[in-house]
Every structure is written in structure tokens, then in C-alpha cells.
Amino acid sequence: MSRTASPRKGYGDLQMNGGIGSSNVTWANAKAKSDQVNGYPSFSTRNNGFFSRHARQISRSLPSFVRGAEQEKLGRGRWYPRNGSKAGRILAFIGRTIWRLRLRLLITLSLILAVIVFYVTRESNGRISSRPRLKKPTAMHRAYRRASLLGGGSQFVIILAANQGGGVMEWKGPREWAIERDSVRNKKKYAKKWGYNLEIVDMSTKKRYAHEWRESWEKVDTIRKCMRKYPKAQWFWWMDLNTFIMEPSYTLQKHIFSDLSSNTYRDINDYNPLHITHPFNDTKLDPEALSPNGDGKVSSIDLIIPQDCAGFNLGSFFIRSSTWTDRLLDVWWDPVGYEQKHMEWEHKEQDALEHLYINQPWIRGHTAFIPQRKINSFPAGACGQNGEDQRIHYKEADRDFVVNMAGCEWGRDCWGEMYNFRELSNKLNRTPWEKFKDGISDRIKAMKAKPEGKEGKA
């Protein structure tokens, strides 16, 4: 068996030919062969790949900036602080800051604009078109306050009895007209502010009651008509003409109805000027009629009335639209009861309601009482000359909601009381700017008064 030499050179042959260093095999060739044997391509970060091969071409396509005549001028197309002045640097800093905070500034400006549009928009005073009259657009904040699901103002109706002194009984003079003008303006402003409905009732048109001397009884019939006119309203607030809203910033929702259980009381024994026996002693009645607080549920309250030193006072009270209220108005307006008792009832419809409360158990279960100063404060001259009853008389320090000049036509000055309370309300509800102006005016007056006082002494 013959042996032939291997075609591949061995280690000894490499040494004999001068070793690796003396051969023509380079390191790159050896590495390439090794990569082919291992089965994966070589990786190089230099002169390999698309970007590496075309990097020079891409860089050449970009604009070049050189010094001299071809250099871009900084003042071309955009602002730059001239000569590097201090004012220019400040403006540049402000500009960079605004640009950096542009998103926050945009959100802030949008919120400010929304608030301005919400409160500043006004109702149109003219017709929208020459065609049949359309509804006037309502300011956004008033529309919000009126919406039943938002502000809830449409759920309340203020009923104001106007022209009480005229019509059947007597003519009104200038002072009576002035009282009515101030009272009506006061209620209009308040109702418009909070989105409430306002129904001004002209009592001089109720002449169908003149033949039976029933002019003050039309209150019941008027309430019924208002409930038909506003079927979606929930609460109706009756106000006499001699009332004045002292704090127009109070809403009915927050002032009373948001916490009706705390603002009212069902047990008349808490304040009982009529000394009514409560509850009933008849064992045949159901437990609710025998309870001093009825069923104790706020949802069962349909009538809210204040009490003064003489009993019930209907110069300012609330009544809710309900089936129970329809029944009450029917019985309250019953002509049979009027014919039998009108000679005995000095306060007419007010005495009639007291009579029903005393004798009808179903009335008490839905009647609640409210502290008088909550909705019907008296001036100092009513219910006593001293005006110191904490339950009844108006207190400026407590900022009572409503004042009622009840009985002012009997020996008191109705116009004088209305004027004084109107001016007091304007003073208490001044804006900060108005207070600032008034403060300056008072100081100027005081400075002028000092020299006059010195001259008088001299």
C-alpha cells in the first residue's frame, strides 16, 4: 500500500517555509476563512451597510454653513435681540419662557375665556327677527341656574302680591306706588339672578270678591292658578308686597331646601304662641297623626310657614305642588267655611288655616314650621315696640334673609321702613370695588368737615 503525500500542508511544512509571519496569508484573509468555516458572516462597523456606503453622499446633500458672504443672517426671517441689548435679552427670555409653557398658558387662557363667556353674556333686549316673537336668548349662567338638573332654579316660583292697596278698597298715593316699585324691583332682581320664576299678581283685578268682602282671600285662589301655570315647578313662595329680600346672595336651595330637616321643625311645641294642643289625644287616629313629628320624613312636608308673636304668618311662606296641596286648597277655599266663620276670623285666610291645623289631623302630618327670621324677619316696630325678640326681629349682624314690614299701615311709616331697609341691603351687599370707592368718599368728607368745624369754633 503506497502512501501519498497529503495535499494539505502540515504544521511542519509551515515552519519549514518560514512560518506564518513569512507566508503571504494576511490576518484579514485568515479571519475571512475562519468566518466561512464557522457559518456566519462577519460584522464590521466600517464601510459596510447602506448608511456607511452612502454617508458621504448624504452629508454632501445637506446645506453647508461657511463664514463670510454666504453665512446665514440671523436677522432674516425671525427676531433677534439687536446688538445684544438688555431689553432684547429680557424679551428673548420671556419669549422662550412663553414658548416652553405654551400648553399651560393655552389651558389657562381657555379657562379664563370660558368664565368670562359664562358670566358676561347678556340677554338680548330686542327681537331676534321680524317674524313672530321668539324666545330671547338667556345668559349662560342664568340658563345653568334655571336648569332642573343643574342649578334647579326652575323648580321654584315666587308669587308677589302687587297693587294690594288699590282696586276695590281704596286708591293708592305716591308713597304706596314707591313701595310697590321698590318691592317689585327687588323680587325681579333676585329671581333673575338665580333663575327662579316670578309671578306678579295684580290684586286690583280680583273684583269678583268685592261683593262679599273677601279681598284678602284671593291668596288661595292665586296659588292654585300659579300651580296650573307652572306644572313642572315644585315649590311656590308667596311674598306680600311689604317684604324685602335683604340678602340677594342667598339661594333658596342652600339657605333652606338643601337641609330641610335641620331648617324646619314639625313639633309646634317648640314655639307655640297659639297654645295649640299637639299631638292629638284621640286613640282612634293612626300612629302618624299621634306623633308630634308626623312620619318624620322630609318628603312629606308640603307646607312651610313661620310663626310670629300672634301665630301663623302668611306674609312669606312656602307650599309644594302635590296631591295633598290640591286637597288643602279646596278645603281652605271652601265658601261654606268662609260664610260661617268670616266674621270671627280677623286675619281671614290666616285664621282659616289655623282653624284647619287645629281641627284636622291630616293637615298636621304635612305641615312644617320654619324659624321666622329665616324667611320673614320683622322690623323693630312689629310684635312689640322694643324689637328685642330674638325669634322675630331683624338682626343686621346675623344678615337675615327677608324682612317683612307687617302691619306698617297701622301707625307706622311703611315707606320710611322700606327705604331704610333698602339702603341697608345695598350697603351690606356692596362689592369690594364699591366699598373702596365709598371709603375714599368718606375720607374726603371727613377731611372737608374738619376745617369747617375749626372755623365754627373760631
Side-chain angles (χ1 to χ4, degrees):
M1 182 174 177
S2 62
R3 294 185 177 182
T4 59
S6 173
R8 301 178 64 182
K9 293 182 180 182
Y11 181 78
D13 295 335
L14 294 175
Q15 296 292 335
M16 292 173 60
N17 293 330
I20 296 176
S22 62
S23 66
N24 295 325
V25 180
T26 64
W27 170 256
N29 293 335
K31 186 175 184 300
K33 291 181 180 181
S34 177
D35 292 341
Q36 293 178 0
V37 173
N38 292 334
Y40 57 87
S42 63
F43 175 78
S44 175
T45 59
R46 185 174 182 181
N47 297 327
N48 287 328
F50 175 83
F51 184 79
S52 298
R53 293 194 301 271
H54 299 277
R56 186 61 181 174
Q57 298 179 4
I58 294 174
S59 62
R60 287 178 179 177
S61 64
L62 295 176
S64 59
F65 302 94
V66 296
R67 297 183 179 275
E70 299 298 329
Q71 187 177 6
E72 182 183 5
K73 297 182 179 180
L74 293 174
R76 181 187 300 169
R78 60 180 181 271
W79 180 89
Y80 184 76
R82 188 174 182 180
N83 298 328
S85 62
K86 185 176 181 181
R89 290 193 298 272
I90 294 175
L91 292 177
F93 174 76
I94 295 174
R96 290 193 301 271
T97 304
I98 293 175
W99 179 252
R100 187 168 58 252
L101 303 176
R102 60 189 181 277
L103 182 59
R104 298 179 184 178
L105 292 176
L106 179 62
I107 295 174
T108 303
L109 292 176
S110 301
L111 292 175
I112 294 174
L113 180 61
V115 171
I116 293 175
V117 172
F118 184 76
Y119 283 101
V120 176
T121 52
R122 298 180 179 178
E123 296 179 349
S124 175
N125 293 324
R127 293 187 180 182
I128 299 176
S129 67
S130 58
R131 294 184 177 182
R133 186 174 297 179
L134 302 175
K135 282 188 175 181
K136 296 178 182 179
T138 305
M140 293 183 64
H141 67 283
R142 290 177 187 145
Y144 172 85
R145 291 169 178 173
R146 278 192 58 81
S148 58
L149 298 178
L150 299 175
S154 61
Q155 300 296 315
F156 299 90
V157 179
I158 301 175
I159 307 174
L160 178 63
N163 202 17
Q164 286 184 322
V168 179
M169 297 296 295
E170 60 182 11
W171 294 99
K172 293 198 302 185
R175 296 171 70 87
E176 286 75 18
W177 283 114
I179 292 172
E180 180 170 323
R181 181 183 63 249
D182 288 345
S183 180
V184 171
R185 185 188 296 118
N186 174 250
K187 310 307 184 300
K188 283 184 176 180
K189 184 177 180 181
Y190 179 75
K192 187 176 182 179
K193 178 180 179 67
W194 297 113
Y196 302 141
N197 300 297
L198 176 62
E199 187 70 15
I200 301 175
V201 183
D202 187 359
M203 294 303 179
S204 65
T205 61
K206 304 294 183 179
K207 294 184 179 181
R208 61 193 179 95
Y209 310 116
H211 67 283
E212 57 186 9
W213 200 268
R214 203 176 181 183
E215 187 163 328
S216 65
W217 284 69
E218 74 279 355
K219 183 179 296 185
V220 181
D221 191 40
T222 301
I223 293 174
R224 187 197 303 275
K225 289 184 177 181
C226 288
M227 288 184 175
R228 293 172 182 171
K229 184 176 180 179
Y230 300 94
K232 296 183 179 180
Q234 185 177 9
W235 285 98
F236 293 79
W237 184 16
W238 177 276
M239 302 189 76
D240 284 348
L241 186 64
N242 288 334
T243 58
F244 196 88
I245 299 175
M246 297 294 294
E247 298 296 333
S249 61
Y250 295 178
T251 64
L252 297 178
Q253 296 92 317
K254 292 183 179 180
H255 187 59
I256 300 172
F257 293 95
S258 61
D259 193 5
L260 196 59
S261 59
S262 299
N263 293 322
T264 59
Y265 58 96
R266 309 286 284 271
D267 188 357
I268 195 175
N269 293 315
D270 291 350
Y271 180 64
N272 193 357
L274 296 175
H275 306 290
I276 298 174
T277 301
H278 184 75
F280 288 97
N281 297 323
D282 192 348
T283 57
K284 297 179 182 179
L285 298 174
D286 56 23
E288 292 183 5
L290 296 175
S291 172
N293 296 312
D295 61 1
K297 298 179 180 179
V298 175
S299 59
S300 64
I301 298 177
D302 292 307
L303 179 64
I304 304 174
I305 53 178
Q307 294 189 94
D308 57 24
C309 57
F312 293 5
N313 188 286
L314 300 182
S316 173
F317 71 97
F318 291 92
I319 188 167
R320 188 168 70 93
S321 178
S322 65
T323 304
W324 179 90
T325 300
D326 292 337
R327 183 182 176 190
L328 171 66
L329 295 177
D330 288 339
V331 177
W332 196 358
W333 184 247
D334 187 3
V336 176
Y338 165 77
E339 290 293 341
Q340 294 178 355
K341 294 288 187 179
H342 73 279
M343 297 299 293
E344 300 178 13
W345 292 336
E346 178 183 359
H347 298 96
K348 302 167 186 178
E349 85 288 344
Q350 191 166 286
D351 290 340
L353 182 60
E354 291 176 353
H355 177 80
L356 292 174
Y357 183 86
I358 293 172
N359 296 282
Q360 299 294 332
W362 64 274
I363 298 283
R364 300 191 186 187
H366 293 262
T367 302
F369 300 95
I370 189 169
Q372 182 172 354
R373 289 177 53 197
K374 200 79 174 174
I375 61 170
N376 197 39
S377 298
F378 277 2
C383 275
Q385 298 297 326
N386 53 10
E388 296 179 356
D389 194 327
Q390 297 295 327
R391 287 179 173 268
I392 297 174
H393 295 106
Y394 174 83
K395 299 296 182 184
E396 178 183 344
D398 296 335
R399 306 291 291 268
D400 291 348
F401 182 32
V402 177
V403 64
N404 182 7
M405 281 69 75
C408 63
E409 61 272 12
W410 306 103
R412 304 203 321 265
D413 184 4
C414 294
W415 163 244
E417 292 183 359
M418 177 69 74
Y419 176 82
N420 291 331
F421 280 110
R422 184 193 68 187
E423 294 300 314
L424 178 60
S425 176
N426 293 336
K427 178 182 177 182
L428 295 176
N429 293 279
R430 292 174 299 173
T431 61
W433 173 244
E434 291 173 342
K435 292 179 180 179
F436 175 74
K437 292 191 298 182
D438 292 343
I440 294 178
S441 300
D442 294 340
R443 290 181 181 178
I444 294 175
K445 291 179 181 179
M447 293 173 63
K448 290 182 178 180
K450 287 181 179 180
E452 294 179 358
K454 294 180 179 179
E455 292 176 2
K457 292 181 180 179

